Amino acid sequence: MFNISDTTKQVLIYLFALTVIAFGIGCVFIPKDGSFYLAVSTGSYGLGLFLGFAFGCVKMVLLERSVIRTLDMDKKTANGFARLHFVFRYFLTFAFLAAAALIDCISLLGAIIPLLLIQPAAYMASRKIKDIKESS
């Protein structure tokens, strides 16, 4: 269905692992009385993490497809295409976070955390790929 590169697969695996760790940490620190506004319950926090992870996966696939298509274009067309997709991904992120903020059963904190974890996941995947190449 989707042909994604091994690098993107590694990033998504690390993103999943970091999201699971964030859920574990959240289960410890979210108060049971619902007094924390951004994560009323562990369930809403988990739902926010799950939806944030799913949206992060969509963003990664869109980014990869955009980069692949951009490499096949001439410089001027590629510049405009890359900017358009950059703005489109940020618009999607804004729409996702706005929806997460407005829907009561989704924790906004849980939705934001996986989006922030994409960068560390990409860093971890690049380190692993670099280590594999150096050992070969």
Side-chain angles (χ1 to χ4, degrees), residues 37 94-108:
Y37 176 72
F94 172 76
F96 170 74
L97 291 176
L102 295 175
I103 299 172
D104 289 336
C105 65
I106 301 173
S107 165
L108 181 60

Side-chain angles (χ1 to χ4, degrees), residues 2-131:
F2 290 109
N3 292 329
I4 58 176
S5 68
D6 291 335
T7 304
T8 302
K9 288 177 188 174
Q10 285 293 324
V11 171
L12 295 180
I13 289 169
Y14 280 113
L15 179 60
F16 179 74
L18 291 173
T19 303
V20 169
I21 291 169
F23 179 72
I25 292 171
C27 286
V28 172
F29 288 109
I30 294 175
K32 304 295 182 216
D33 61 358
S35 61
F36 188 53
Y37 176 72
L38 292 176
V40 177
S41 69
T42 306
S44 70
Y45 177 70
L47 181 62
L49 282 173
F50 173 74
L51 293 175
F53 169 73
F55 183 72
C57 292
V58 169
K59 277 185 60 172
M60 286 298 300
V61 170
L62 286 174
L63 176 63
E64 180 186 28
R65 295 177 72 106
S66 173
V67 168
I68 289 171
R69 288 183 64 189
T70 302
L71 291 174
D72 293 336
M73 298 178 183
D74 62 284
K75 186 176 182 178
K76 187 175 182 179
T77 307
N79 190 15
F81 183 80
R83 286 181 190 209
L84 177 69
H85 275 261
F86 176 79
V87 171
F88 177 68
R89 284 191 308 274
Y90 270 95
F91 174 75
L92 283 178
T93 303
F94 172 76
F96 170 74
L97 291 176
L102 295 175
I103 299 172
D104 289 336
C105 65
I106 301 173
S107 165
L108 181 60
L109 179 66
I112 290 172
I113 287 176
L115 299 181
L116 296 176
L117 290 176
I118 291 174
Q119 189 67 36
Y123 177 74
M124 292 166 67
S126 70
R127 291 284 296 173
K128 181 179 179 185
I129 291 169
K130 183 180 175 184
D131 290 343

